[in-house]
Amino acid sequence: MKVCSVDEIRALDRAAIEEYGIPEELLMENAGQAVYSVILKEFGIEAKRFLVFCGTGNNGGDGVVVARKLSSAGGDVKVVILGDQNRFRGSSKKNFEILSRMDVDIRVIKSSEEVESLRCDISVSDVIVDAIFGTGLTRDVGGIYREVIELINESGKKVVSVDIPSGINGNNGRMMGVAVRADYTVTFGLPKIGNILYPGYEYCGRLYLSYISFPPQLYNMESIRTEINEPIPLPPRRRDGHKGTFGKALFIAGAFGYFGAPYLSAMSFLKAGGGYSRLAAPKSIIPFIACMGSEIVFNPLEETESGSIALGNKERLLDLCELVDIVILGPGLSLNEETQELVRELTVEIDKPLIIDGDGITAVSKDSTVIKNRRAESILTPHLVEMSRLTGKRVDKIEEDKIGVLRDATDALNAIIILKGAHSLIGYPDGKVYINMSGNSGMATAGSGDVLTGTIAAMYGLGLSIEEASRIGVFIHGLSGDLAAMEKGEDGITAQDILNYLPFAMKTYRERFKEIKEKYSISTI
């Protein structure tokens, strides 16, 4: 399913009206009908009291349609207009005029004193409909709008938001000072980026989508380059396969004091279905790692004085790379400058698909040409701080436009970049971005990213393309964390738990594929 920006949804609206001849009034009617249908499904209508808050833009016009339909179906409806009702235009104005002729209580609120008088109406309502602001909000919410949103959030009532919770930025999901915390949100045409990225996704509650009669040619346009990371079937395991059949990976990782990262990354490759896992690490730490993961094949390396991998190992490591299908470089390598230089030199010369993580990202961020000049595919897996190092942009600036920054970086580096976080983003050099829906807050723990690297490598070993392996590895990693959370709760999940649940995640993914696909998708009405 595609996900669009505010400008893209406006373009779709224009195309629907101008190219397909769908009247704006019909689109607004369909939007109101979609919200009405969700309310009917979730709460029922008869003998229920509804309080509908409307702004004076198109979002408010949608809310007016909802109010009319609720009243027509027997609901007890009150409508609150925030601001000057004379500012309604076009279809919103027409629908407001229709509602004004009906036996519906309409109040217009323009001052803080009038806002305070709403407490009684809120207290006796069963359901609140939020149609105050749409997706085009660009400045922080203030004045009576802020006061009303705070009243709604304090009420404890069930809330249904129209298109997006009021106060959430449609382009990045950020809260603009204050935002409605909805139980349900019905969005139109396509999900907006603000519906899917955090914190907007959390504020939406359960998210529904209505195409409001857009032709499929519109909402499936190739020019819309952002999508939900939907599962795809995994290649079947060959019954006559051997360990080489399911992929061979080399992990160049670890340093004195960093035992977990090399173990977690190399072991996760095996746990996610990979066949042959080699770990090249400083010789002094290998005995400790071998106690945890004896299934890993170890290649002891010479060390620097601080216990990291020495530059003198370069030729040996390049020889090892020839024996495998994919190389992982970076987990727990340390910031030792000699080791960092080794990373940069290896990055240029390794002629295999390469996943760079952790300290490896720090190394290549000092000279991005080593990524640009690679002949084989590159995958980088930064978190926000590492993304800041790669791009030279402050973290807060990245958060304002994650997808735009990601697109620029993938193009500049000619690499696949996985921006880790809640709803991780997988970006490709051609501009396509996938938003991952699996995973939970319990996965925000040390070592989780190391497990991700091995999982991605395993997907490649199982036969997916490097592009598919990147996004399905992210999905499987999140699914494993979700299965761990179902058993243990999100508090206290460790990277070891995510690792341990990988076989179960793979089994669940294969055996319950349709169910998994539905669970991590957006419901359509």
Side-chain angles (χ1 to χ4, degrees):
M1 180 182 288
K2 304 274 189 176
V3 180
C4 67
S5 68
V6 173
D7 284 345
E8 286 171 332
I9 196 63
R10 287 172 178 163
L12 292 185
D13 281 332
R14 284 195 302 273
I17 295 167
E18 296 171 6
E19 297 177 23
Y20 290 89
I22 304 173
E24 182 184 47
E25 291 87 350
L26 180 57
L27 295 177
M28 187 168 285
E29 187 73 12
N30 290 344
Q33 178 65 39
V35 178
Y36 167 82
S37 298
V38 169
I39 292 173
L40 177 63
K41 173 186 175 183
E42 299 293 345
F43 307 108
I45 307 295
E46 290 189 31
K48 294 288 196 309
R49 294 178 176 178
F50 300 94
L51 188 59
V52 183
F53 287 94
C54 299
T56 55
N58 282 346
N59 193 253
D62 295 337
V64 168
V65 175
V66 175
R68 167 165 52 83
K69 291 182 175 292
L70 291 172
S71 177
S72 178
D76 182 352
V77 181
K78 289 187 178 182
V79 176
V80 177
I81 306 296
L82 299 180
D84 185 356
Q85 72 270 29
N86 294 317
R87 295 183 62 185
F88 279 121
R89 295 288 183 271
S91 301
S92 298
K93 180 179 180 181
K94 183 177 290 186
N95 276 296
F96 180 71
E97 290 170 347
I98 294 170
L99 188 69
S100 299
R101 299 186 187 103
M102 297 175 63
D103 186 21
V104 174
D105 184 358
I106 301 175
R107 295 182 61 187
V108 179
I109 299 296
K110 297 181 180 179
S111 69
S112 295
E113 292 75 17
E114 292 172 310
V115 170
E116 193 61 27
S117 69
L118 293 172
R119 288 187 181 274
C120 181
D121 291 326
I122 291 174
S123 68
V124 298
S125 65
D126 296 305
V127 179
I128 294 172
V129 178
D130 156 39
I132 303 170
F133 297 121
T135 57
L137 185 67
T138 57
R139 61 179 184 272
D140 281 359
V141 178
I144 61 170
Y145 302 98
R146 183 183 187 98
E147 294 169 15
V148 167
I149 290 174
E150 288 173 344
L151 277 181
I152 292 171
N153 288 343
E154 292 167 5
S155 70
K157 300 294 181 178
K158 294 295 184 182
V159 179
V160 179
S161 283
V162 176
D163 208 11
I164 197 166
S166 293
I168 294 296
N169 185 299
N171 277 327
N172 57 32
R174 299 184 76 181
M175 182 174 66
M176 308 298 284
V178 68
V180 169
R181 188 173 287 276
D183 297 283
Y184 302 90
T185 297
V186 186
T187 196
F188 312 125
L190 284 175
K192 320 309 177 294
I193 293 168
N195 291 125
I196 304 299
L197 296 187
Y198 279 89
Y201 182 75
E202 185 176 12
Y203 275 75
C204 284
R206 182 170 181 182
L207 182 62
Y208 286 90
L209 168 69
S210 171
Y211 292 119
I212 57 170
S213 77
F214 279 1
Q217 297 95 313
L218 279 183
Y219 59 77
N220 286 324
M221 288 176 65
E222 183 61 28
S223 60
I224 300 173
R225 307 291 285 166
T226 305
E227 298 184 31
I228 299 292
N229 185 23
E230 295 180 345
I232 60 174
L234 292 173
R237 290 184 71 89
R238 282 181 50 184
R239 292 186 178 275
D240 62 343
H242 51 81
K243 58 180 178 286
T245 305
F246 304 113
K248 303 183 289 288
L250 172 65
F251 295 81
I252 305 171
F256 180 76
Y258 294 93
F259 302 90
Y263 159 72
L264 291 165
S265 56
M267 196 62 171
S268 61
F269 176 77
L270 299 174
K271 288 282 193 176
Y276 194 88
S277 181
R278 290 178 177 269
L279 173 58
K283 61 185 179 182
S284 64
I285 70 170
I286 282 180
F288 300 95
I289 301 173
C291 292
M292 299 183 286
S294 57
E295 300 90 342
I296 301 166
V297 176
F298 294 97
N299 295 100
L301 301 176
E302 297 302 316
E303 306 178 12
T304 65
E305 289 184 2
S306 63
S308 63
I309 300 174
L311 182 59
N313 295 288
K314 176 181 165 183
E315 294 305 320
R316 183 181 178 195
L317 288 169
L318 289 173
D319 289 341
L320 288 172
C321 290
E322 294 302 312
L323 304 176
V324 299
D325 306 309
I326 189 168
V327 179
I328 298 83
L329 178 61
L333 279 179
S334 87
L335 300 180
N336 176 279
E337 187 48 49
E338 182 180 336
T339 306
Q340 293 270 295
E341 178 58 29
L342 173 64
V343 169
R344 289 186 285 270
E345 293 187 19
L346 287 173
T347 297
V348 173
E349 297 187 42
I350 290 172
D351 196 21
K352 295 287 177 71
L354 178 64
I355 303 174
I356 303 178
D357 181 55
D359 296 328
I361 292 174
T362 301
V364 299
S365 66
K366 295 177 181 178
D367 181 5
S368 61
T369 61
V370 300
I371 295 293
K372 294 178 189 177
N373 296 336
R374 276 183 45 77
R375 296 181 295 274
E377 299 99 330
S378 306
I379 303 172
L380 289 82
T381 60
H383 51 58
L384 274 171
V385 174
E386 291 165 341
M387 190 67 170
S388 178
R389 294 187 192 124
L390 275 174
T391 62
K393 296 180 181 291
R394 298 201 318 261
V395 168
D396 62 327
K397 292 300 181 182
I398 296 172
E399 289 182 317
E400 287 177 7
D401 185 18
K402 284 183 179 178
I403 290 177
V405 171
L406 181 60
R407 281 202 173 101
D408 288 344
T410 55
D411 178 59
L413 297 175
N414 191 33
I416 298 169
I417 299 178
I418 297 165
L419 181 53
K420 297 183 291 192
H423 286 184
S424 294
L425 304 177
I426 306 100
Y428 296 86
D430 65 358
K432 185 166 284 188
V433 174
Y434 289 93
I435 305 176
N436 189 62
M437 305 296 284
S438 63
N440 60 80
S441 67
M443 300 177 70
T445 183
S448 177
D450 303 311
V451 178
L452 174 62
T453 60
T455 306
I456 294 169
M459 297 305 102
Y460 183 66
L462 290 174
L464 294 178
S465 69
I466 201 71
E467 293 81 10
E468 292 172 336
S470 301
R471 66 186 189 90
I472 300 308
V474 173
F475 186 91
I476 292 289
H477 177 255
L479 176 60
S480 184
D482 287 342
L483 293 171
M486 286 176 62
E487 180 73 20
K488 299 187 170 190
E490 294 182 17
D491 295 299
I493 290 178
T494 66
Q496 184 70 53
D497 294 319
I498 304 169
L499 174 72
N500 290 342
Y501 273 85
L502 278 173
F504 186 38
M506 293 295 291
K507 180 177 187 290
T508 303
Y509 189 94
R510 288 185 183 278
E511 295 180 357
R512 297 161 56 189
F513 179 77
K514 289 183 179 179
E515 181 182 334
I516 291 296
K517 189 171 183 177
E518 181 178 349
K519 177 180 178 181
Y520 291 99
S521 63
I522 307 300
S523 299
T524 57
I525 53 173

